[in-house]
Amino acid sequence: MIVLSGTIGAGKTSLTDLLAAHFGSNAYYESVDDNPILPLFYENQKKYGFLLQNYFLNKRMDNIRDAQGSQLNIIDRSIYEDLLLFQTVAAQGQATEVEVDIYRDLLDNMMEQVDFSDEAVLKTPDLLVYIHVSFDTMLNRIKKRGREFEQVDHDSGLYDYYKLLNNRYSQWFEAYNQSPKLMIDGDAYDFVEDTEAAEKVLTLIDQKVKELGLK
Ligand SMILES: Nc1ncnc2c1ncn2[C@@H]1O[C@H](COP(=O)(O)OP(=O)(O)OP(=O)(O)O)[C@@H](O)[C@H]1O
């Protein structure tokens, strides 16, 4: 499994499409439009934050199970970033430490490898691709995409949440050690609008995939 990571609006879903088409593999998406909790969460993070994490945890486990057939199947967001998001929500006083601790324990238990036989299927990715974008790019993409509940004009508190999240992402990626990893500069390569940039990004990922013997 190749797993994408990056902040809100980084381009994970678009790169998932590109990679699945490039490798002829399957793509597994986090569905946003039919997520019943997400709009509620954006209205009231304190009330719905913990419920949202449980919802995502369940969906990500589905994705991991479904994607396990091939090393080149793509998942559009890693399960590991959810803790970062929830900790950021908590840092802003919108979730409690107890909620974060309970969520972390649950995540650890779900990700624990209980089968150590040769046939065991690993839940960890074969490669994690992180798309790094600056705070300005993040805000521009969120605006351009126009999902109502994500807009900062509707809620000025969101601006601080996004800024803190963007700052924390780089540290999160530095510390990430569950699998091989690769960073893509999403400011330098606009792989959505620019086909040449898309080719370059695919070449970088191809090199890493070959180096790891995934293809
Ligand atoms: N664990 C989480 N806690 C809180 N909100 C989350 C969590 N995971 C995802 N979200 C929210 O769900 C929405 C979709 O998230 P995500 O960043 O995965 O997709 P995206 O914004 O469409 O990204 P991309 O543009 O990179 O494809 C965003 O509003 C994001 O804030």
Side-chain angles (χ1 to χ4, degrees), residues 7 10 28 98 108 119-120 123 150 152 158 172 184 190 209:
T7 190
Y28 298 87
V98 176
D108 286 348
E119 295 81 42
K123 295 176 194 172
E150 288 178 348
V152 284
L158 272 185
W172 170 84
I184 298 295
D190 186 349
V209 160

Side-chain angles (χ1 to χ4, degrees), residues 8-13 30 42 53 77 82 145 147 150:
I8 305 158
K12 301 178 292 293
T13 307
E30 165 189 273
Y42 272 95
Q53 296 313 319
R77 191 196 248 281
D82 292 323
R145 179 167 60 202
R147 264 185 215 141
E150 288 178 348

Side-chain angles (χ1 to χ4, degrees), residues 6-14 30 32 35 38 41-42 49 52-53 56 60 76-77 81-83 85-86 89 103 131 145 147 149-150 161-162 165 169:
T7 190
I8 305 158
K12 301 178 292 293
T13 307
S14 305
E30 165 189 273
V32 174
N35 179 333
L38 203 47
F41 166 75
Y42 272 95
L52 181 68
Q53 296 313 319
F56 276 129
R60 310 245 195 263
D76 83 336
R77 191 196 248 281
E81 293 152 275
D82 292 323
L83 182 59
L85 276 121
F86 199 31
V89 169
Y103 169 76
I131 309 166
R145 179 167 60 202
R147 264 185 215 141
F149 52 77
E150 288 178 348
Y161 171 60
Y162 289 164
L165 193 61
Y169 247 97

Side-chain angles (χ1 to χ4, degrees), residues 63-192:
N63 279 350
I64 290 172
R65 184 199 54 215
D66 295 343
Q68 269 169 350
S70 153
Q71 291 182 313
L72 295 174
N73 281 344
I74 323 286
I75 300 182
D76 83 336
R77 191 196 248 281
S78 84
I79 198 166
Y80 304 106
E81 293 152 275
D82 292 323
L83 182 59
L84 168 69
L85 276 121
F86 199 31
Q87 284 170 328
T88 308
V89 169
Q92 300 217 298
Q94 303 300 316
T96 66
E97 282 311 311
V98 176
E99 286 174 315
V100 174
D101 288 347
I102 290 174
Y103 169 76
R104 187 193 287 108
D105 282 352
L106 180 58
L107 173 69
D108 286 348
N109 271 332
M110 302 279 283
M111 291 302 283
E112 196 181 338
Q113 208 62 39
V114 283
D115 179 358
F116 295 100
S117 68
D118 287 346
E119 295 81 42
V121 268
L122 294 179
K123 295 176 194 172
T124 44
D126 295 291
L127 170 65
L128 178 124
V129 175
Y130 166 57
I131 309 166
H132 173 79
V133 291
S134 64
F135 184 51
D136 280 351
T137 303
M138 176 182 174
L139 286 183
N140 288 336
R141 299 266 175 82
I142 290 171
K143 197 166 183 183
K144 187 173 147 204
R145 179 167 60 202
R147 264 185 215 141
E148 188 98 0
F149 52 77
E150 288 178 348
Q151 300 309 309
V152 284
D153 327 352
H154 292 198
D155 174 0
S156 56
L158 272 185
Y159 182 91
D160 297 335
Y161 171 60
Y162 289 164
K163 193 165 179 82
L164 188 58
L165 193 61
N166 193 277
N167 283 339
R168 287 178 165 211
Y169 247 97
S170 300
Q171 289 151 273
W172 170 84
F173 178 68
E174 280 292 309
Y176 174 83
N177 61 4
Q178 298 292 314
S179 71
K181 60 186 182 180
L182 174 70
M183 186 174 90
I184 298 295
D185 184 341
D187 288 332
Y189 299 115
D190 186 349
F191 48 80
V192 176

